[in-house]
Amino acid sequence: MADHDDIMLVAWIDQLLSFSAAALGAIRSDECYPSLLRWARRDGARLVGEDVRLAQALAAPLWNQTPLVRLDFASEPLAKPAANEMCWCDSGRRFRDCCQQITFPGPLPDNLMWMLSLCQWRGDLLKRAANSRHTPLQALLEAGIVDAEAGQLGRAQLLFELLFERSHQRNEHALVEQAFESLEQLYRQRGFSRKLDRLIGVALASDSDRLKGFALEQLTLAELENDDLAAARENFALAQRLIPDAPMLAYLETMLLLQEGHADKAQQRAAFWHRRLARRSDADPDELAFVQQLARHPAKALADEMIATEDELADSLLALRNTLWQLPDAVLSGLVSADDGTTCYIPSRKDREYYQAWSQVTGQQQGLASELEAAQLWMHARRWLPALNEHPQWLVSPLVMRELATALASRFGSLPWMADAFITPLARRFDIWLNAIERRHAALPWQQGDNSVIYLFGLALISALERSDRRQSRRFASRLYRLDSEDPMGLYELVLEHLLLEERNEKVVALINGRHGHESPIAEALAHALALFRLERRDQAAAVIKSVKRINRYVVAMMTPVRLGNTPTGEANGQPGSRAEAWQVRLLLRGCWVATPGALEWLAQFA
């Protein structure tokens, strides 16, 4: 019975929307009630099952809520007649014998005609109407939602911005929160970072704890994207105090713990959130089901959720995940010895044939040379993803694997929970190939043959594993660095960090002292100082820090705080001596300093 009622309600809503939109067109012809009545009897009845009485009965209440341009968007409501008075549909019968007898099949929303009007108006008329003092806040919300779902993002943004401003002024907390969430999504979707920053700033200054909590959730997300885990943890804790039962917190804490490298704890906390939310009578079943999936397998649940949001690519990405995990171990063919005793990779005929077929579906004939080109490759993903799933043999070719790894790293490399889905199987293949190269006990110079393909494949994996498995990332960097000491890809700093993570402090000092004739980067100096500190050679470490400060006056001060207010990643593009360079060094090495007891406290004296 309930299912039947639901079906009837949905049918009524569809019928009402069609009738109301057409009625609005009739009203706009001259904005007079008699014109609407004539339309209802003549044309409107066919939209409600040829029921003339229902069409007439709908006319008056719809008219009463319609904004009229000639009245500067005010309405011109009719007085509801008493039972014995003549009916307002002008049928000539008393109200009790006419429209009062009609029962609508479902509810008649109060703001329906305002919402439809806002969706229909364009340009200056829309702006005037939206800014009118007569505009109901609920109508701004509903029209904004309709426009956003229809892809009219500029119109939706205008309506949501007005809704946020007015509902904030009137302390309409529920509407403020809905406007904030809608604007946050729109600003992210449209890349309006400054507008998003201002929106979050206003929310943080609000008197509403819930709105502050929502803003803190967004700050936590942004800081996770920037890899500022200390700041993300702090803002998450603040949000948890303000909105302790918000389902979004389960999602955020799971991501935070995974990014911090605590997979087991992420699962435990997700289970805690599921138990907590399950006790709430108002828990959303879909949100609860998702948190339950987080509790079972955090990384997989987050990966599945992200893949599902990829719209048209979702099925192909799921198929690609299966394809990659079913790859058989493949021998790296094409390795030969050069005249100088080094190793050289020369693609086989089959490697080139597979790469040519791959290039035809990607449209990338010259190979991926930048992150921009990797991003452009995804514009054609509807073409190459299905083709790759149909021809998994292409993945035998390092030429193809290199470009696929670059594309996947650019899309998913910053998200540690996506590693198991797409990066780990590629890393397994690369590990096998590296083993084959290392068994030859010869260098692999970048400039020989197509050796650069091997290095670029590895570099993509190093980047993609940075957040999900940093130790594996650094192991790959160290192995590639040993194959070509000229370091064509600048892996040296990653090698130093890897040695520090493994507490191989003497090796760090020896490696640095052995690099005569090379310019000493800031990261090298910070790694050198930490290794010396660990080896109890404090005077030498202090001398290194003093030399660091002469090269970059920001770096020591930026290394010591738990969190920073602003992340200067765009400043001077990381040029020597800049704050951006200091920030990059912080991201690379601060974890090693934090893990060393007393190191940051010692470093702080030089700030």
Side-chain angles (χ1 to χ4, degrees):
M1 185 64 182
D3 290 343
H4 179 265
D5 292 343
D6 290 342
I7 293 171
M8 295 298 292
L9 179 60
V10 170
W12 162 247
I13 291 172
D14 289 342
Q15 198 175 60
L16 177 63
L17 284 173
S18 298
F19 182 91
S20 302
L24 191 58
I27 291 173
R28 294 291 172 232
S29 63
D30 60 6
E31 294 195 337
C32 292
Y33 180 59
S35 297
L36 174 62
L37 281 178
R38 287 193 295 272
W39 171 86
R41 296 191 184 101
R42 184 182 65 247
D43 301 318
R46 63 181 175 80
L47 297 174
V48 286
E50 302 296 344
D51 190 337
V52 175
R53 296 187 66 195
L54 176 58
Q56 289 180 161
L58 279 169
L62 290 178
W63 168 264
N64 284 350
Q65 60 169 263
T66 301
L68 302 175
V69 178
R70 63 180 172 83
L71 296 181
D72 199 19
F73 307 106
S75 59
E76 194 175 55
L78 305 168
K80 188 173 182 177
N84 289 322
E85 291 179 342
M86 302 305 292
C87 188
W88 55 5
C89 75
D90 201 28
S91 63
R93 297 191 294 273
R94 296 184 187 280
F95 185 55
R96 69 183 182 191
D97 299 323
C98 192
C99 289
Q100 192 176 26
Q101 294 185 351
I102 303 299
T103 300
F104 297 146
L108 189 65
D110 294 337
N111 303 298
L112 177 59
M113 299 302 273
W114 252 109
M115 183 272 287
L116 291 172
S117 295
L118 290 171
C119 290
Q120 289 183 6
W121 282 326
R122 297 287 184 271
D124 183 62
L125 187 58
L126 172 63
K127 292 180 181 178
R128 285 168 49 205
N131 282 285
S132 168
R133 61 186 177 88
H134 301 292
T135 311
L137 297 183
Q138 188 68 29
L140 288 173
L141 173 65
E142 293 168 1
I145 291 172
V146 170
D147 282 338
E149 290 178 348
Q152 302 288 332
L153 302 187
R155 291 166 52 83
Q157 181 178 316
L158 167 68
L159 298 175
F160 287 138
E161 285 174 341
L162 284 170
L163 174 62
F164 183 78
E165 178 184 345
R166 292 188 191 173
S167 55
H168 190 264
Q169 291 170 350
R170 300 179 194 178
N171 292 321
E172 296 279 355
H173 295 310
L175 287 173
V176 172
E177 292 161 11
Q178 292 180 75
F180 175 85
E181 291 182 0
S182 299
L183 277 177
E184 177 271 323
Q185 293 173 10
L186 269 180
Y187 288 157
R188 285 186 182 278
Q189 187 175 355
R190 306 188 79 192
F192 291 170
S193 56
R194 291 184 181 178
K195 281 182 173 287
L196 179 58
D197 289 344
R198 285 196 294 270
L199 177 72
I200 290 174
V202 172
L204 289 173
S206 167
D207 294 331
S208 166
D209 283 350
R210 282 177 56 83
L211 188 57
K212 286 181 183 176
F214 292 156
L216 288 165
E217 287 179 338
Q218 298 310 315
L219 281 179
T220 303
L221 271 177
E223 285 150 356
L224 284 172
E225 290 172 2
N226 287 331
D227 209 25
D228 192 348
L229 303 185
R233 172 62 66 184
E234 182 178 333
N235 282 319
F236 171 80
L238 291 172
Q240 191 173 15
R241 286 199 289 271
L242 293 173
I243 46 175
D245 292 325
M248 178 70 170
L249 293 176
Y251 180 76
L252 285 175
E253 187 170 21
T254 304
M255 288 194 294
L256 180 56
L257 288 167
L258 288 175
Q259 204 141 321
E260 290 172 337
H262 306 308
D264 291 341
K265 191 173 181 180
Q267 189 169 18
Q268 293 167 8
R269 291 296 297 172
F272 159 80
W273 280 107
H274 181 257
R275 291 193 299 270
R276 179 171 188 160
L277 296 172
R279 290 195 294 266
R280 294 184 53 181
S281 59
D282 60 343
D284 182 280
D286 292 336
E287 289 178 340
L288 196 58
F290 177 65
V291 177
Q292 187 175 37
Q293 291 299 317
L294 283 177
R296 290 174 178 165
H297 196 310
K300 184 178 184 302
L302 290 174
D304 288 346
E305 176 74 7
M306 173 153 286
I307 291 172
T309 62
E310 292 285 343
D311 298 328
E312 296 177 346
L313 299 182
D315 290 341
S316 293
L317 285 171
L318 286 172
L320 178 63
R321 178 169 66 179
N322 295 333
T323 297
L324 294 177
W325 275 104
Q326 292 169 9
L327 284 177
D329 293 341
V331 175
L332 177 60
S333 59
L335 291 179
V336 299
S337 296
D339 293 340
D340 59 1
T342 60
T343 299
C344 182
Y345 164 63
I346 299 177
S348 65
R349 180 176 58 81
K350 186 172 289 187
D351 286 349
R352 293 196 182 280
E353 287 177 359
Y354 289 155
Y355 181 67
Q356 183 177 6
W358 158 262
S359 298
Q360 287 175 352
V361 296
T362 62
Q364 298 279 344
Q365 298 299 324
Q366 302 301 319
L368 299 181
S370 66
E371 285 192 12
L372 177 61
E373 289 179 357
Q376 291 172 341
L377 182 65
W378 285 100
M379 297 172 63
H380 308 292
R382 282 182 293 178
R383 186 171 65 226
W384 62 260
L385 270 174
L388 187 59
N389 290 320
E390 291 175 13
H391 303 281
Q393 68 274 17
W394 294 352
L395 296 172
V396 168
S397 170
L399 302 169
V400 177
M401 288 290 272
R402 194 278 286 188
E403 293 196 1
L404 178 63
T406 303
L408 291 172
S410 73
R411 184 87 167 201
F412 303 122
S414 63
L415 308 172
W417 48 90
M418 300 300 287
D420 278 349
F422 299 112
I423 307 303
T424 301
L426 297 183
R428 184 181 63 187
R429 171 68 61 86
F430 186 64
D431 185 58
I432 293 171
W433 288 353
L434 272 185
N435 289 338
I437 294 169
E438 290 167 341
R439 282 196 294 269
R440 301 176 71 88
H441 302 290
L444 187 81
W446 168 281
Q447 71 276 10
Q448 289 271 32
D450 281 282
N451 290 350
S452 60
V453 170
I454 305 297
Y455 281 100
L456 291 172
F457 181 17
L459 187 63
L461 293 176
I462 289 167
S463 171
L465 292 167
E466 180 72 15
R467 297 189 183 186
S468 59
D469 190 349
R470 181 166 285 186
R471 287 190 179 275
Q472 174 70 304
S473 171
R474 296 305 184 256
R475 280 194 288 269
F476 280 154
S478 296
R479 294 170 74 181
L480 287 175
Y481 180 76
R482 287 196 296 269
L483 288 171
D484 188 345
S485 59
E486 291 298 318
D487 193 22
M489 297 189 300
L491 297 175
Y492 173 62
E493 294 175 3
L494 301 183
V495 172
L496 287 177
E497 189 209 15
H498 178 59
L499 294 173
L500 287 173
L501 287 171
E502 294 191 337
E503 299 280 346
R504 297 167 66 185
N505 302 307
E506 293 283 5
K507 178 67 175 176
V508 171
V509 174
L511 183 62
I512 291 172
N513 290 337
R515 277 174 55 90
H516 300 297
H518 290 272
E519 183 180 351
S520 176
I522 293 294
E524 176 189 87
L526 262 292
H528 193 190
L530 180 58
L532 292 169
F533 175 87
R534 289 173 171 178
L535 294 168
E536 300 294 335
R537 293 154 63 176
R538 303 291 172 84
D539 291 343
Q540 294 177 42
V544 173
I545 293 299
K546 290 174 183 176
S547 69
V548 164
K549 290 190 66 176
R550 288 193 293 270
I551 301 170
N552 187 312
R553 63 192 179 94
Y554 304 106
V555 69
V556 175
M558 198 168 283
M559 283 286 291
T560 48
V562 173
R563 61 164 297 177
L564 298 173
N566 297 310
T567 57
T569 50
E571 178 191 322
N573 197 28
Q575 293 300 313
S578 69
R579 294 175 71 250
E581 179 192 44
W583 170 254
Q584 291 168 2
V585 172
R586 173 188 167 96
L587 291 180
L588 180 69
L589 291 177
R590 192 172 188 279
C592 296
W593 281 83
V594 169
T596 305
L600 277 183
E601 292 79 2
W602 175 82
L603 183 62
Q605 67 180 306
F606 299 97

